[in-house]
Structures are given as C-alpha cells and as structure tokens.
PDB file of all heavy atoms in Angstrom:
ATOM      1  N   HIS A  23      10.099 -16.152  -8.791  1.00 98.00           N
ATOM      2  CA  HIS A  23      10.759 -17.459  -8.528  1.00 98.00           C
ATOM      3  C   HIS A  23      11.338 -18.084  -9.768  1.00 98.00           C
ATOM      4  O   HIS A  23      12.340 -18.807  -9.710  1.00 98.00           O
ATOM      5  CB  HIS A  23       9.761 -18.406  -7.871  1.00 98.00           C
ATOM      6  CG  HIS A  23      10.401 -19.500  -7.096  1.00 98.00           C
ATOM      7  ND1 HIS A  23       9.729 -20.185  -6.079  1.00 98.00           N
ATOM      8  CD2 HIS A  23      11.566 -20.072  -7.182  1.00 98.00           C
ATOM      9  CE1 HIS A  23      10.548 -21.096  -5.568  1.00 98.00           C
ATOM     10  NE2 HIS A  23      11.671 -21.068  -6.259  1.00 98.00           N
ATOM     11  N   HIS A  24      10.672 -17.895 -10.886  1.00 97.00           N
ATOM     12  CA  HIS A  24      11.169 -18.447 -12.144  1.00 97.00           C
ATOM     13  C   HIS A  24      10.522 -17.775 -13.322  1.00 97.00           C
ATOM     14  O   HIS A  24       9.380 -17.248 -13.209  1.00 97.00           O
ATOM     15  CB  HIS A  24      10.886 -19.982 -12.193  1.00 97.00           C
ATOM     16  CG  HIS A  24       9.385 -20.318 -11.902  1.00 97.00           C
ATOM     17  ND1 HIS A  24       8.414 -20.211 -12.856  1.00 97.00           N
ATOM     18  CD2 HIS A  24       8.887 -20.740 -10.782  1.00 97.00           C
ATOM     19  CE1 HIS A  24       7.296 -20.577 -12.289  1.00 97.00           C
ATOM     20  NE2 HIS A  24       7.465 -20.809 -10.976  1.00 97.00           N
ATOM     21  N   PRO A  25      11.187 -17.723 -14.429  1.00 97.00           N
ATOM     22  CA  PRO A  25      10.545 -17.096 -15.647  1.00 97.00           C
ATOM     23  C   PRO A  25       9.537 -18.021 -16.282  1.00 97.00           C
ATOM     24  O   PRO A  25       9.437 -19.207 -15.978  1.00 97.00           O
ATOM     25  CB  PRO A  25      11.766 -16.885 -16.574  1.00 97.00           C
ATOM     26  CG  PRO A  25      12.701 -18.007 -16.236  1.00 97.00           C
ATOM     27  CD  PRO A  25      12.515 -18.253 -14.698  1.00 97.00           C
ATOM     28  N   TRP A  26       8.776 -17.476 -17.196  1.00 96.00           N
ATOM     29  CA  TRP A  26       7.797 -18.241 -17.991  1.00 96.00           C
ATOM     30  C   TRP A  26       7.731 -17.650 -19.386  1.00 96.00           C
ATOM     31  O   TRP A  26       8.315 -16.606 -19.672  1.00 96.00           O
ATOM     32  CB  TRP A  26       6.395 -18.300 -17.324  1.00 96.00           C
ATOM     33  CG  TRP A  26       5.720 -17.027 -17.039  1.00 96.00           C
ATOM     34  CD1 TRP A  26       4.755 -16.441 -17.830  1.00 96.00           C
ATOM     35  CD2 TRP A  26       5.943 -16.066 -15.930  1.00 96.00           C
ATOM     36  NE1 TRP A  26       4.312 -15.230 -17.301  1.00 96.00           N
ATOM     37  CE2 TRP A  26       5.017 -15.001 -16.176  1.00 96.00           C
ATOM     38  CE3 TRP A  26       6.784 -16.008 -14.876  1.00 96.00           C
ATOM     39  CZ2 TRP A  26       4.920 -13.878 -15.285  1.00 96.00           C
ATOM     40  CZ3 TRP A  26       6.720 -14.938 -14.027  1.00 96.00           C
ATOM     41  CH2 TRP A  26       5.821 -13.883 -14.253  1.00 96.00           C
ATOM     42  N   ASP A  27       6.935 -18.266 -20.199  1.00 94.00           N
ATOM     43  CA  ASP A  27       6.973 -17.949 -21.658  1.00 94.00           C
ATOM     44  C   ASP A  27       5.923 -16.857 -21.973  1.00 94.00           C
ATOM     45  O   ASP A  27       5.027 -17.124 -22.779  1.00 94.00           O
ATOM     46  CB  ASP A  27       6.710 -19.211 -22.470  1.00 94.00           C
ATOM     47  CG  ASP A  27       6.962 -19.005 -23.952  1.00 94.00           C
ATOM     48  OD1 ASP A  27       7.716 -18.068 -24.271  1.00 94.00           O
ATOM     49  OD2 ASP A  27       6.393 -19.813 -24.753  1.00 94.00           O
ATOM     50  N   ASN A  28       6.049 -15.743 -21.313  1.00 95.00           N
ATOM     51  CA  ASN A  28       5.204 -14.612 -21.668  1.00 95.00           C
ATOM     52  C   ASN A  28       5.940 -13.346 -21.210  1.00 95.00           C
ATOM     53  O   ASN A  28       5.832 -12.947 -20.048  1.00 95.00           O
ATOM     54  CB  ASN A  28       3.843 -14.729 -21.030  1.00 95.00           C
ATOM     55  CG  ASN A  28       2.863 -13.647 -21.532  1.00 95.00           C
ATOM     56  OD1 ASN A  28       3.214 -12.493 -21.657  1.00 95.00           O
ATOM     57  ND2 ASN A  28       1.630 -14.090 -21.748  1.00 95.00           N
ATOM     58  N   ASP A  29       6.632 -12.730 -22.189  1.00 96.00           N
ATOM     59  CA  ASP A  29       7.422 -11.585 -21.787  1.00 96.00           C
ATOM     60  C   ASP A  29       6.650 -10.406 -21.243  1.00 96.00           C
ATOM     61  O   ASP A  29       7.032  -9.794 -20.263  1.00 96.00           O
ATOM     62  CB  ASP A  29       8.229 -11.028 -23.001  1.00 96.00           C
ATOM     63  CG  ASP A  29       9.339 -11.996 -23.423  1.00 96.00           C
ATOM     64  OD1 ASP A  29       9.554 -13.005 -22.746  1.00 96.00           O
ATOM     65  OD2 ASP A  29       9.969 -11.754 -24.480  1.00 96.00           O
ATOM     66  N   GLU A  30       5.465 -10.178 -21.859  1.00 96.00           N
ATOM     67  CA  GLU A  30       4.628  -9.064 -21.364  1.00 96.00           C
ATOM     68  C   GLU A  30       4.151  -9.224 -19.940  1.00 96.00           C
ATOM     69  O   GLU A  30       4.253  -8.303 -19.126  1.00 96.00           O
ATOM     70  CB  GLU A  30       3.420  -8.931 -22.284  1.00 96.00           C
ATOM     71  CG  GLU A  30       2.535  -7.775 -22.053  1.00 96.00           C
ATOM     72  CD  GLU A  30       1.358  -7.632 -22.960  1.00 96.00           C
ATOM     73  OE1 GLU A  30       1.360  -8.283 -24.016  1.00 96.00           O
ATOM     74  OE2 GLU A  30       0.451  -6.897 -22.635  1.00 96.00           O
ATOM     75  N   GLU A  31       3.803 -10.479 -19.556  1.00 96.00           N
ATOM     76  CA  GLU A  31       3.355 -10.746 -18.241  1.00 96.00           C
ATOM     77  C   GLU A  31       4.526 -10.636 -17.236  1.00 96.00           C
ATOM     78  O   GLU A  31       4.338 -10.146 -16.131  1.00 96.00           O
ATOM     79  CB  GLU A  31       2.753 -12.166 -18.190  1.00 96.00           C
ATOM     80  CG  GLU A  31       1.354 -12.234 -18.724  1.00 96.00           C
ATOM     81  CD  GLU A  31       0.780 -13.614 -18.536  1.00 96.00           C
ATOM     82  OE1 GLU A  31       1.324 -14.494 -17.871  1.00 96.00           O
ATOM     83  OE2 GLU A  31      -0.355 -13.877 -19.051  1.00 96.00           O
ATOM     84  N   MET A  32       5.660 -11.074 -17.624  1.00 97.00           N
ATOM     85  CA  MET A  32       6.853 -10.996 -16.694  1.00 97.00           C
ATOM     86  C   MET A  32       7.221  -9.485 -16.433  1.00 97.00           C
ATOM     87  O   MET A  32       7.450  -9.138 -15.327  1.00 97.00           O
ATOM     88  CB  MET A  32       8.072 -11.739 -17.270  1.00 97.00           C
ATOM     89  CG  MET A  32       7.994 -13.197 -17.091  1.00 97.00           C
ATOM     90  SD  MET A  32       9.539 -14.102 -17.360  1.00 97.00           S
ATOM     91  CE  MET A  32       9.817 -13.772 -19.159  1.00 97.00           C
ATOM     92  N   VAL A  33       7.204  -8.710 -17.505  1.00 98.00           N
ATOM     93  CA  VAL A  33       7.430  -7.258 -17.331  1.00 98.00           C
ATOM     94  C   VAL A  33       6.379  -6.636 -16.468  1.00 98.00           C
ATOM     95  O   VAL A  33       6.739  -5.832 -15.524  1.00 98.00           O
ATOM     96  CB  VAL A  33       7.596  -6.538 -18.631  1.00 98.00           C
ATOM     97  CG1 VAL A  33       7.669  -5.035 -18.408  1.00 98.00           C
ATOM     98  CG2 VAL A  33       8.841  -7.029 -19.377  1.00 98.00           C
ATOM     99  N   ALA A  34       5.112  -6.978 -16.695  1.00 98.00           N
ATOM    100  CA  ALA A  34       4.017  -6.440 -15.859  1.00 98.00           C
ATOM    101  C   ALA A  34       4.152  -6.831 -14.373  1.00 98.00           C
ATOM    102  O   ALA A  34       3.923  -6.065 -13.472  1.00 98.00           O
ATOM    103  CB  ALA A  34       2.675  -6.867 -16.388  1.00 98.00           C
ATOM    104  N   THR A  35       4.597  -8.130 -14.133  1.00 98.00           N
ATOM    105  CA  THR A  35       4.814  -8.580 -12.817  1.00 98.00           C
ATOM    106  C   THR A  35       5.944  -7.742 -12.112  1.00 98.00           C
ATOM    107  O   THR A  35       5.812  -7.300 -10.957  1.00 98.00           O
ATOM    108  CB  THR A  35       5.111 -10.075 -12.779  1.00 98.00           C
ATOM    109  OG1 THR A  35       3.995 -10.787 -13.291  1.00 98.00           O
ATOM    110  CG2 THR A  35       5.465 -10.570 -11.357  1.00 98.00           C
ATOM    111  N   TRP A  36       6.983  -7.548 -12.845  1.00 98.00           N
ATOM    112  CA  TRP A  36       8.157  -6.741 -12.357  1.00 98.00           C
ATOM    113  C   TRP A  36       7.669  -5.338 -11.947  1.00 98.00           C
ATOM    114  O   TRP A  36       8.047  -4.791 -10.958  1.00 98.00           O
ATOM    115  CB  TRP A  36       9.253  -6.682 -13.372  1.00 98.00           C
ATOM    116  CG  TRP A  36      10.463  -6.015 -12.817  1.00 98.00           C
ATOM    117  CD1 TRP A  36      10.863  -4.758 -12.993  1.00 98.00           C
ATOM    118  CD2 TRP A  36      11.341  -6.510 -11.813  1.00 98.00           C
ATOM    119  NE1 TRP A  36      12.000  -4.434 -12.305  1.00 98.00           N
ATOM    120  CE2 TRP A  36      12.285  -5.499 -11.516  1.00 98.00           C
ATOM    121  CE3 TRP A  36      11.455  -7.761 -11.160  1.00 98.00           C
ATOM    122  CZ2 TRP A  36      13.322  -5.699 -10.611  1.00 98.00           C
ATOM    123  CZ3 TRP A  36      12.484  -7.923 -10.278  1.00 98.00           C
ATOM    124  CH2 TRP A  36      13.408  -6.922  -9.947  1.00 98.00           C
ATOM    125  N   LYS A  37       6.822  -4.773 -12.803  1.00 98.00           N
ATOM    126  CA  LYS A  37       6.356  -3.387 -12.460  1.00 98.00           C
ATOM    127  C   LYS A  37       5.591  -3.328 -11.162  1.00 98.00           C
ATOM    128  O   LYS A  37       5.708  -2.339 -10.409  1.00 98.00           O
ATOM    129  CB  LYS A  37       5.438  -2.862 -13.612  1.00 98.00           C
ATOM    130  CG  LYS A  37       6.210  -2.685 -14.937  1.00 98.00           C
ATOM    131  CD  LYS A  37       7.322  -1.614 -14.841  1.00 98.00           C
ATOM    132  CE  LYS A  37       7.989  -1.404 -16.198  1.00 98.00           C
ATOM    133  NZ  LYS A  37       9.093  -0.400 -16.020  1.00 98.00           N
ATOM    134  N   VAL A  38       4.798  -4.390 -10.832  1.00 98.00           N
ATOM    135  CA  VAL A  38       4.072  -4.411  -9.595  1.00 98.00           C
ATOM    136  C   VAL A  38       5.077  -4.533  -8.412  1.00 98.00           C
ATOM    137  O   VAL A  38       4.887  -3.844  -7.389  1.00 98.00           O
ATOM    138  CB  VAL A  38       3.020  -5.499  -9.540  1.00 98.00           C
ATOM    139  CG1 VAL A  38       2.281  -5.555  -8.206  1.00 98.00           C
ATOM    140  CG2 VAL A  38       2.056  -5.346 -10.692  1.00 98.00           C
ATOM    141  N   LEU A  39       6.092  -5.365  -8.609  1.00 98.00           N
ATOM    142  CA  LEU A  39       7.088  -5.523  -7.537  1.00 98.00           C
ATOM    143  C   LEU A  39       7.820  -4.164  -7.319  1.00 98.00           C
ATOM    144  O   LEU A  39       8.165  -3.811  -6.194  1.00 98.00           O
ATOM    145  CB  LEU A  39       8.082  -6.595  -7.840  1.00 98.00           C
ATOM    146  CG  LEU A  39       7.475  -8.036  -7.900  1.00 98.00           C
ATOM    147  CD1 LEU A  39       8.630  -9.045  -7.981  1.00 98.00           C
ATOM    148  CD2 LEU A  39       6.634  -8.342  -6.712  1.00 98.00           C
ATOM    149  N   GLU A  40       8.027  -3.415  -8.386  1.00 98.00           N
ATOM    150  CA  GLU A  40       8.689  -2.120  -8.362  1.00 98.00           C
ATOM    151  C   GLU A  40       7.812  -1.198  -7.436  1.00 98.00           C
ATOM    152  O   GLU A  40       8.324  -0.453  -6.666  1.00 98.00           O
ATOM    153  CB  GLU A  40       8.904  -1.556  -9.665  1.00 98.00           C
ATOM    154  CG  GLU A  40      10.027  -2.156 -10.495  1.00 98.00           C
ATOM    155  CD  GLU A  40      10.276  -1.457 -11.806  1.00 98.00           C
ATOM    156  OE1 GLU A  40       9.306  -0.924 -12.379  1.00 98.00           O
ATOM    157  OE2 GLU A  40      11.458  -1.423 -12.248  1.00 98.00           O
ATOM    158  N   LYS A  41       6.483  -1.270  -7.622  1.00 98.00           N
ATOM    159  CA  LYS A  41       5.548  -0.437  -6.856  1.00 98.00           C
ATOM    160  C   LYS A  41       5.767  -0.649  -5.407  1.00 98.00           C
ATOM    161  O   LYS A  41       5.798   0.250  -4.602  1.00 98.00           O
ATOM    162  CB  LYS A  41       4.115  -0.733  -7.278  1.00 98.00           C
ATOM    163  CG  LYS A  41       3.051   0.016  -6.506  1.00 98.00           C
ATOM    164  CD  LYS A  41       1.652  -0.532  -6.771  1.00 98.00           C
ATOM    165  CE  LYS A  41       1.378  -1.867  -6.103  1.00 98.00           C
ATOM    166  NZ  LYS A  41      -0.010  -2.308  -6.244  1.00 98.00           N
ATOM    167  N   HIS A  42       5.854  -1.953  -4.990  1.00 98.00           N
ATOM    168  CA  HIS A  42       5.996  -2.301  -3.604  1.00 98.00           C
ATOM    169  C   HIS A  42       7.425  -1.950  -3.063  1.00 98.00           C
ATOM    170  O   HIS A  42       7.563  -1.576  -1.847  1.00 98.00           O
ATOM    171  CB  HIS A  42       5.729  -3.809  -3.368  1.00 98.00           C
ATOM    172  CG  HIS A  42       4.286  -4.193  -3.475  1.00 98.00           C
ATOM    173  ND1 HIS A  42       3.336  -3.747  -2.610  1.00 98.00           N
ATOM    174  CD2 HIS A  42       3.644  -4.883  -4.426  1.00 98.00           C
ATOM    175  CE1 HIS A  42       2.162  -4.234  -3.027  1.00 98.00           C
ATOM    176  NE2 HIS A  42       2.341  -4.955  -4.167  1.00 98.00           N
ATOM    177  N   ALA A  43       8.376  -1.987  -4.013  1.00 98.00           N
ATOM    178  CA  ALA A  43       9.720  -1.583  -3.571  1.00 98.00           C
ATOM    179  C   ALA A  43       9.772  -0.063  -3.305  1.00 98.00           C
ATOM    180  O   ALA A  43      10.359   0.398  -2.334  1.00 98.00           O
ATOM    181  CB  ALA A  43      10.768  -1.919  -4.659  1.00 98.00           C
ATOM    182  N   LYS A  44       9.087   0.725  -4.157  1.00 98.00           N
ATOM    183  CA  LYS A  44       9.040   2.154  -4.006  1.00 98.00           C
ATOM    184  C   LYS A  44       8.305   2.542  -2.650  1.00 98.00           C
ATOM    185  O   LYS A  44       8.624   3.557  -2.040  1.00 98.00           O
ATOM    186  CB  LYS A  44       8.373   2.774  -5.236  1.00 98.00           C
ATOM    187  CG  LYS A  44       9.239   2.774  -6.453  1.00 98.00           C
ATOM    188  CD  LYS A  44       8.486   3.246  -7.640  1.00 98.00           C
ATOM    189  CE  LYS A  44       9.331   3.028  -8.925  1.00 98.00           C
ATOM    190  NZ  LYS A  44       8.563   3.345 -10.151  1.00 98.00           N
ATOM    191  N   ALA A  45       7.370   1.725  -2.262  1.00 98.00           N
ATOM    192  CA  ALA A  45       6.599   1.919  -1.087  1.00 98.00           C
ATOM    193  C   ALA A  45       7.374   1.527   0.167  1.00 98.00           C
ATOM    194  O   ALA A  45       6.941   1.729   1.322  1.00 98.00           O
ATOM    195  CB  ALA A  45       5.289   1.252  -1.088  1.00 98.00           C
ATOM    196  N   GLY A  46       8.528   0.808  -0.002  1.00 97.00           N
ATOM    197  CA  GLY A  46       9.351   0.381   1.118  1.00 97.00           C
ATOM    198  C   GLY A  46       8.867  -0.964   1.732  1.00 97.00           C
ATOM    199  O   GLY A  46       9.433  -1.435   2.737  1.00 97.00           O
ATOM    200  N   ILE A  47       7.895  -1.589   1.142  1.00 98.00           N
ATOM    201  CA  ILE A  47       7.398  -2.936   1.607  1.00 98.00           C
ATOM    202  C   ILE A  47       8.378  -4.021   1.275  1.00 98.00           C
ATOM    203  O   ILE A  47       8.632  -4.930   2.057  1.00 98.00           O
ATOM    204  CB  ILE A  47       5.963  -3.174   1.053  1.00 98.00           C
ATOM    205  CG1 ILE A  47       4.985  -2.157   1.577  1.00 98.00           C
ATOM    206  CG2 ILE A  47       5.520  -4.574   1.403  1.00 98.00           C
ATOM    207  CD1 ILE A  47       3.674  -2.126   0.915  1.00 98.00           C
TER     208      ILE A  47
END
C-alpha cells in the first residue's frame, strides 16, 4: 500500500508476495 523507511523489510515483503504470485494466489 505504501513504502516505509526500511529497504530490507520492503524487499523481504516483496519476496513473500512473489511467493504467492508464483503459487497463483
């Protein structure tokens, strides 16, 4: 929904969304 001041956490969050995208969810 919006960025925040922690690049590492944002990238980690993106990686989890990628997991769900790869699963077709």
Side-chain angles (χ1 to χ4, degrees):
H23 202 156
H24 50 82
W26 61 98
D27 190 21
N28 188 317
D29 290 356
E30 184 178 345
E31 285 184 3
M32 283 195 294
V33 170
T35 298
W36 185 257
K37 294 298 183 183
V38 180
L39 296 189
E40 287 184 331
K41 177 189 73 173
H42 290 292
K44 290 171 183 175
I47 295 169

